[in-house]
Amino acid sequence: MCLQETKIESLPFVTAELNYLAPVTGKPRTYAFDPPPGEPKSTSLPEPHQVPIFDARLIAKNFSLDREGFALVRHPTQVKDFYNDEEVRAVYYPAVEAFLRATLKADRVVIFDHTVRKRVDGAADIRGEGPRQPATRVHVDQTAVSGANRVREHLPDEAEELLRGRVQVINLWRPIRGPLRDSPLAMADGTTVAPDDLVASDLIYPNRRGETYSVKYNPNHRWFYVPEMTPDEALLLKCYDSATDGRTRFGPHTAFVDPTTPADAAPRESIEVRTLVFHKQ
């Protein structure tokens, strides 16, 4: 039974608040550092909406990275300390690369960065100031422009040749400790996301300008989450796909406050690894 044949409304769900993009004049922009005097930190203001988020566990095998834009996978790891950057790069990177190459039948996988997050009550998500916090706005990590530019940035000598084939940006996200009950990740079914829902937004760094998609509210969006994920599980999130043959190219996602989370739940700890996935076609 494929997802389209499943009665989604029969699945358990929670109703939670997701932060979409409020209407804005001009291209939204956010500074990843203290902005110049008189400039707001961000013009991407939140527009919260209460939405049902369906429990994906019962139908997890039906999800397709190419169709819905995300997938749940089993991926045990030998890493002892995800806060040890050297261990992550020496042990985790090769394992993720090999796993994605085999799982996605890719010709090549290149990891370009990773982020470890640990939720701290009241803390803002500011780079370089304490642990990174869960991202609590609906977004896609890349756009049609920045996805291709990632190849040019990280593999400049090979970029134009590689861009002749299919390129994906895939984020492998996992909890560091589990079962995870705090600030889980919600994923939108990419088949319910219209192109006009995605709003290209500048992310400004001291030395460069990136681009992500903010997301406008659409009542047709269908949201899923995987409750109580364990450290042996991971989510694959599609952040960009150069293929334009009808597959989902961009997968909106966000952390959210689950109203059923126990008061004594441990704060969320997670790691995401962002990768370039190449197919020669």
Side-chain angles (χ1 to χ4, degrees):
M1 181 184 295
C2 72
L3 183 62
Q4 282 69 25
E5 296 168 346
T6 303
K7 286 195 74 72
I8 301 300
E9 292 75 13
S10 67
L11 294 174
F13 68 92
V14 297
T15 300
E17 184 175 276
L18 300 187
N19 291 309
Y20 283 91
L21 175 70
V24 61
T25 301
K27 187 178 184 181
R29 67 180 184 277
T30 298
Y31 285 92
F33 60 100
D34 288 335
E39 288 279 338
K41 178 82 173 176
S42 178
T43 62
S44 297
L45 300 178
E47 182 180 83
H49 287 268
Q50 294 281 331
V51 302
I53 306 174
F54 293 95
D55 182 342
R57 279 235 175 254
L58 296 176
I59 56 171
K61 292 181 180 178
N62 297 325
F63 291 109
S64 158
L65 198 57
D66 276 346
R67 188 176 56 240
E68 287 78 32
F70 64 90
L72 176 69
V73 294
R74 179 167 168 75
H75 184 233
T77 176
Q78 300 297 314
V79 177
K80 299 292 190 290
D81 181 7
F82 280 103
Y83 294 94
N84 182 324
D85 198 61
E86 289 184 6
E87 183 180 5
V88 168
R89 293 177 183 278
V91 179
Y92 195 48
Y93 274 29
V96 169
E97 180 184 325
F99 177 78
L100 290 180
R101 202 167 56 244
T103 302
L104 303 181
K105 298 178 173 56
D107 294 301
R108 185 177 177 189
V109 173
V110 175
I111 296 172
F112 61 86
D113 72 8
H114 74 275
T115 301
V116 177
R117 300 182 191 267
K118 181 176 182 179
R119 192 180 67 76
V120 177
D121 277 335
D125 183 24
I126 301 175
R127 289 166 175 81
E129 295 186 19
R132 292 293 304 275
Q133 299 301 296
T136 55
R137 65 180 184 88
V138 180
H139 68 285
V140 183
D141 295 15
Q142 308 293 335
T143 66
V145 171
S146 66
N149 281 344
R150 280 290 185 183
V151 183
R152 299 184 180 101
E153 177 184 353
H154 300 292
L155 299 165
D157 295 338
E158 308 169 72
E160 297 317 309
E161 177 65 28
L162 291 169
L163 287 168
R164 292 191 183 97
R166 182 187 178 197
V167 181
Q168 298 179 84
V169 178
I170 302 296
N171 181 337
L172 188 144
W173 184 101
R174 75 181 324 125
I176 290 173
R177 313 203 190 285
L180 186 142
R181 299 185 175 100
D182 174 70
S183 297
L185 208 61
M187 294 78 63
D189 175 352
T191 67
T192 68
V193 178
D196 288 348
D197 298 338
L198 305 176
V199 180
S201 307
D202 284 332
L203 187 55
I204 304 170
Y205 298 91
N207 58 345
R208 68 181 183 90
R209 184 176 294 232
E211 191 176 68
T212 64
Y213 279 130
S214 301
V215 182
K216 296 187 293 187
Y217 175 69
N218 182 333
N220 293 326
H221 291 169
R222 188 162 53 199
W223 288 94
F224 293 91
Y225 79 119
V226 181
E228 302 201 354
M229 284 183 66
T230 69
D232 283 347
E233 295 179 309
L235 288 164
L236 302 182
L237 309 172
K238 184 180 285 191
C239 302
Y240 167 77
D241 195 334
S242 65
T244 56
D245 56 1
R247 314 176 211 230
T248 286
R249 300 184 65 202
F250 306 99
H253 55 276
T254 179
F256 72 99
V257 176
D258 181 350
T260 68
T261 297
D264 61 350
R268 189 240 267 191
E269 296 177 68
S270 61
I271 182 170
E272 60 218 58
V273 173
R274 284 172 283 268
T275 72
L276 294 166
V277 178
F278 299 101
H279 298 266
K280 293 177 183 176
Q281 293 186 324

